[in-house]
Amino acid sequence: MTNLTRNTDQLFAEVAEHVAQDRITQGTYGEYTENGFRGCFLGCLAHSENGDFNDSSDVVRRVIERFNFTEPLLRIAESIFEALFADEARQFFADFPAAVGTDGKDLSRVHWQFLATELRALPPVPADVQVVIDPVIAGMDLLANGQEWPEAVAAKAAAEAAKAAKAAVAAKAAAEARPAVARRQRDLFLELVSAAPVEVQP
């Protein structure tokens, strides 16, 4: 399914306003204080729409409806945002509109590109673990290129890879400080969003 971005003029304006008014915070989707609204990456994008900030699925739904981003894309952005130091998280939020750039950008495959790259970045694992991870990388590469990955194969391979990669992820987290991983993921994410094709000129 192709999701073409929309309302990027609103995206630029609202992100700039939230940054200028220091409304960005971590650890909550959104809250109203005596100093006004403060929210996370997703909360700030959903702020101008009415809804519940205690319900993550409602927050995500509102952002999808406004800008036509995919849920996996938003969940990856949210995870990176929460893992960065506060000043870096604010800058990541501030940099996001420029990466999106315009209406009509196809971001529907970015999450597959991101996940395949992350699996490739795992530390070396035993051959019996790598043999389970490799088909998942290949399948994600297919999806990232708009090709089919048969559902039964995908489900089985993903389940096996998740189990096999768990130890490798733990080892990588121990080897790299979490903020360093988040910075690498931030840079990759913004690069992939920026490089996504524009299907319809605004």
Side-chain angles (χ1 to χ4, degrees):
M1 182 174 103
T2 300
N3 286 62
L4 302 180
T5 56
R6 62 179 174 236
N7 300 320
T8 52
D9 54 340
Q10 293 174 25
L11 179 69
F12 274 96
E14 291 186 19
V15 167
E17 178 187 344
H18 280 82
V19 170
Q21 295 181 4
D22 194 25
R23 292 183 175 179
I24 301 128
T25 190
Q26 292 166 296
T28 179
Y29 282 103
E31 61 188 3
Y32 289 91
T33 69
E34 66 241 15
N35 298 323
F37 176 82
R38 288 178 58 80
C40 70
F41 191 104
L42 297 180
C44 284
L45 294 180
H47 175 223
S48 66
E49 302 292 317
N50 292 324
D52 182 3
F53 284 99
N54 295 315
D55 179 356
S56 71
S57 61
D58 185 56
V59 172
V60 169
R61 178 193 55 76
R62 286 182 276 155
V63 176
I64 290 170
E65 286 176 2
R66 291 189 70 207
F67 303 112
N68 211 27
F69 301 139
T70 65
E71 182 170 353
L73 180 91
L74 294 174
R75 295 297 187 181
I76 290 168
E78 172 187 36
S79 177
I80 294 168
F81 175 86
E82 292 295 337
L84 291 165
F85 289 127
D87 59 333
E88 295 173 325
R90 282 190 294 275
Q91 190 60 52
F92 173 53
F93 179 72
D95 291 342
F96 181 63
V100 174
T102 186
D103 285 352
K105 186 174 264 193
D106 180 5
L107 301 180
S108 62
R109 300 179 192 162
V110 167
H111 62 281
W112 296 121
Q113 296 166 331
F114 180 89
L115 294 171
T117 303
E118 284 299 291
L119 282 176
R120 284 187 181 92
L122 288 172
V125 294
D128 62 327
V129 174
Q130 192 64 48
V131 77
V132 175
I133 295 172
D134 286 342
V136 176
I137 294 172
M140 289 182 182
D141 284 340
L142 288 173
L143 294 170
N145 288 306
Q147 299 173 7
E148 294 292 320
W149 186 20
E151 198 170 305
V153 173
K156 182 174 187 256
E160 290 175 359
K163 191 186 307 179
K166 189 173 183 180
V169 169
K172 183 171 188 169
E176 291 185 59
R178 182 65 183 136
V181 172
R183 284 185 203 107
R184 179 181 50 74
Q185 291 176 337
R186 171 202 61 202
D187 294 345
L188 171 63
F189 181 83
L190 291 173
E191 176 185 323
L192 292 171
V193 169
S194 183
V198 176
E199 300 292 334
V200 175
Q201 293 297 325

